[in-house]
Amino acid sequence: MANLDAGPSTTPLMTIAGPNLVVTKTSTATNLNVGSTAPFKIDVQNNGSSTAWDAEITDDIPAGMCSSPTTSFTAGLYAADGTTLVSNLVQGTDYSLTLIGGGSPSSCQLILTMQDASANQIGPNQHLIITYGAQLDVGTPPGQNLTNIAGATQGY
C-alpha cells in the first residue's frame, strides 16, 4: 500500500456537497366558493450542505384555478428558522415568473425561476418562501377535489 501524504499529485480528502431542496406546499383553505381566494404557501428549504443556485420551482395548478394564480404573489429568502426575512425578491430582477397553459377549464403550471445572482441563492438551511392566492374559475363544477402540487424542478 502506498503512502500518499500530500506528496506531488495528491490532494487532501474531498467531500462532494450539494443542495437538497425540500418543498412543502400548504393552504389554510379547505373549501372554496367561486370568487373567494385560497392562500397558498410554498416553502423550499435547502437541507443540503451547499448553496442552491438557479433554483426553479414548478407548481402544477389544477383545472378550475388557472384564471388568476398570481394574485398577491410574493417571494423571499428566509433564515433557517423560516421566519426571519433575509431578502425580499423582486420579479424581473431576482426571479422570473411564467404561467404555462391556463384559463378555464385547463390545468396550468406556474414556474418561478431564480435569476443567476449571488443574492438569489438559497444557502444551506435557508428557505425560499413563495406566497400567492388563487381563485376558483367561474364555471368550475361544485364538489370537485382539486390537487395542487409543487416541486423543485431545478437547482445547482
Side-chain angles (χ1 to χ4, degrees):
M1 179 180 266
N3 185 355
L4 299 176
D5 290 331
S9 301
T10 64
T11 64
L13 293 176
M14 289 187 248
T15 301
I16 298 173
N20 179 19
L21 301 179
V22 177
V23 179
T24 305
K25 183 169 184 182
T26 57
S27 178
T28 56
T30 57
N31 292 300
L32 290 176
N33 293 315
V34 172
S36 63
T37 300
F40 291 100
K41 177 181 176 181
I42 301 172
D43 184 343
V44 181
Q45 184 176 16
N46 181 0
N47 288 338
S49 58
S50 69
T51 300
W53 45 275
D54 290 349
E56 182 177 273
I57 310 305
T58 301
D59 188 1
D60 289 334
I61 300 173
M65 296 192 82
C66 288
S67 291
S68 62
T70 58
T71 304
S72 306
F73 193 92
T74 66
L77 290 175
Y78 289 78
D81 63 10
T83 58
T84 303
L85 181 65
V86 173
S87 174
N88 274 319
L89 302 179
V90 177
Q91 183 178 349
T93 301
D94 300 316
Y95 66 89
S96 65
L97 192 61
T98 306
L99 180 65
I100 298 173
S104 186
S106 302
S107 61
C108 57
Q109 287 187 324
L110 184 63
I111 302 170
L112 179 141
T113 305
M114 301 287 281
Q115 303 299 316
D116 189 16
S118 61
N120 305 327
Q121 299 174 0
I122 309 169
N125 298 315
Q126 283 188 329
H127 298 254
L128 165 63
I129 296 180
I130 302 163
T131 62
Y132 70 92
Q135 295 182 343
L136 280 178
D137 298 338
V138 174
T140 301
Q144 285 187 305
N145 289 323
L146 303 174
T147 303
N148 191 334
I149 301 169
T153 50
Q154 175 177 288
Y156 301 99

